[in-house]
Amino acid sequence: MKNIIEINNLSKSFSEIKAVDDLSFKVKEGELFAFLGVNGAGKSTTINIICGQLKKDSGSVIINGCDLDGNRDSIKSEIGVVFQNSVLDKALSVKDNLESRAALYGITGKAFGDRLNGLSLLLDFKDLLKRSVGKLSGGQRRRIDIARALLSRPKILILDEPTTGLDPQTRKLLWSVIGDLRKNENMTVMLTTHYMEEAAEADYVVILDSGKIAAEGTPLELKNTYTGDFITLYGVSDEEVKALGVPFEAIKEAFRLSVKNTRQATELIINYPEIFRDYEITKGKMDDIFLAVTGRSLTGGNEK
């Protein structure tokens, strides 16, 4: 697979603060790329530079083989962005919002009608076309935000906290649509999220900390590097767990044991069959990886 985004030695400062500090990474065509970091880590700054909304101090941004410097206008149509905060005009109807945006790409008349029809079926908003955006629910507005980002049939879809605050049904619909676009149109999706179960589905993950890459790899590579396995042990006493000689914590009606890998877990089970009467083994989750890498938990909110 070719690289559709290449970031090389990217830097951006705001006064004394280095928001992005000599950052380099690549995104392959068609993959789901998760971009994680606490507030202020530099995610939104990087995205705004990629989208042409913010000027970089130094470094290069290559989109689909073209340098962003000197090709900003042609590259813009290849990128669709769903920002944390909706950029739709609340006073206008859904149709008018999408029609005015489409016109910027030269999509008018029958071409716009066909595209609108396709997107309204894909994202299930045909019955909302005449309604003003200001009267939509959060989930309905997010569907229109995504439709707006997809008008020009972009090769890259950037999703900046796309499902924050949405109900489970809308989140499921949005991820189903994104999955279809990746499968049917080989669309590349770059995601920032505070929902670790979404990041766990990514093909590749980059974790930012203070404008630099703190860790990167596939979810499995990160799990194997930064966290071990966990055994949840039920129906045992505190004394029995202590006898195993491994780190543990008490959780509701059980104990959670930390082991290096599945092999160590297997050895414990074989050596202490009388203790392992009721248990389950799980790999470390993205939350555990993020905490191990940054020393902090990932929480919601805006960043600079």
Side-chain angles (χ1 to χ4, degrees):
M1 289 188 292
K2 73 172 185 177
N3 296 322
I4 196 163
I5 300 176
E6 295 183 33
I7 306 296
N8 300 300
N9 308 111
L10 187 67
S11 293
K12 177 66 181 179
S13 296
F14 298 97
S15 298
E16 301 300 314
I17 300 171
K18 282 191 173 182
V20 179
D21 190 1
D22 198 30
L23 184 65
S24 298
F25 64 86
K26 296 176 175 61
V27 181
K28 294 187 182 300
E29 185 176 34
E31 79 177 354
L32 174 57
F33 180 95
F35 202 41
L36 308 180
V38 295
N39 297 332
K43 305 185 306 294
S44 292
T45 299
T46 303
I47 285 173
N48 285 331
I49 291 170
I50 292 172
C51 299
Q53 303 283 325
L54 190 64
K55 287 188 176 181
K56 57 185 169 57
D57 293 339
S58 60
S60 66
V61 177
I62 311 296
I63 305 294
N64 201 24
C66 294
D67 195 316
L68 186 61
D69 291 343
N71 297 284
R72 197 175 302 271
D73 291 338
S74 62
I75 284 174
K76 274 188 176 181
S77 64
E78 297 192 349
I79 302 175
V81 191
V82 179
F83 294 103
Q84 290 181 34
N85 300 312
S86 178
V87 294
L88 298 168
D89 189 326
K90 292 182 179 180
L92 296 179
S93 69
V94 168
K95 182 181 178 182
D96 288 345
N97 261 284
L98 296 177
E99 190 167 22
S100 61
R101 179 65 181 180
L104 298 177
Y105 295 113
I107 305 170
T108 58
K110 184 177 185 300
F112 168 70
D114 291 344
R115 188 64 178 140
L116 179 64
N117 185 58
L119 289 170
S120 66
L121 291 173
L122 182 70
L123 288 155
D124 190 24
F125 62 84
K126 209 169 183 68
D127 58 336
L128 303 176
L129 291 173
K130 295 181 180 178
R131 194 180 302 183
S132 66
V133 166
K135 294 182 179 178
L136 301 181
S137 68
Q140 290 170 335
R141 193 175 304 158
R142 185 54 86 199
R143 279 184 269 162
I144 311 307
D145 281 323
I146 292 177
R148 174 187 174 278
L150 293 174
L151 280 166
S152 65
R153 298 184 186 276
K155 291 183 172 67
I156 302 164
L157 180 62
I158 297 178
L159 303 171
D160 196 6
E161 306 285 351
T163 58
T164 299
L166 297 187
D167 61 274
Q169 185 178 355
T170 303
R171 284 178 67 192
K172 186 176 179 180
L173 168 67
L174 296 187
W175 278 111
S176 174
V177 169
I178 291 163
D180 287 344
L181 290 168
R182 291 184 62 217
K183 180 181 177 181
N184 299 326
E185 301 184 19
N186 197 33
M187 181 177 286
T188 304
V189 178
M190 185 175 180
L191 167 76
T192 79
T193 182
H194 286 104
Y195 293 111
M196 290 293 94
E197 68 272 22
E198 294 179 348
E201 296 299 315
D203 298 302
Y204 200 80
V205 178
V206 162
I207 299 176
L208 279 191
D209 194 12
S210 301
K212 292 177 175 286
I213 292 178
E216 63 179 311
T218 67
L220 182 58
E221 288 169 346
L222 291 172
K223 286 175 185 179
N224 289 337
T225 302
Y226 294 100
T227 183
D229 289 2
F230 295 97
I231 308 172
T232 305
L233 196 51
Y234 302 96
V236 295
S237 67
D238 189 73
E239 290 73 20
E240 286 177 307
V241 176
K242 286 179 179 176
L244 297 173
V246 296
F248 70 91
E249 62 175 328
I251 58 176
K252 188 177 180 182
E253 299 180 337
F255 292 91
R256 187 176 189 240
L257 284 61
S258 299
V259 291
K260 293 179 182 177
N261 47 42
T262 307
R263 180 177 178 178
Q264 187 185 6
T266 304
E267 289 173 354
L268 283 172
I269 293 164
I270 292 171
N271 292 332
Y272 298 92
E274 71 282 0
I275 295 178
F276 287 87
R277 299 180 293 269
D278 187 5
Y279 64 90
E280 56 185 341
I281 303 175
T282 57
K283 285 275 186 194
K285 300 188 185 307
M286 289 301 300
D287 303 74
D288 302 308
I289 295 165
F290 194 89
L291 185 60
V293 169
T294 67
R296 287 166 285 180
S297 298
L298 194 55
T299 53
N302 295 322
E303 66 164 295
K304 186 172 183 179

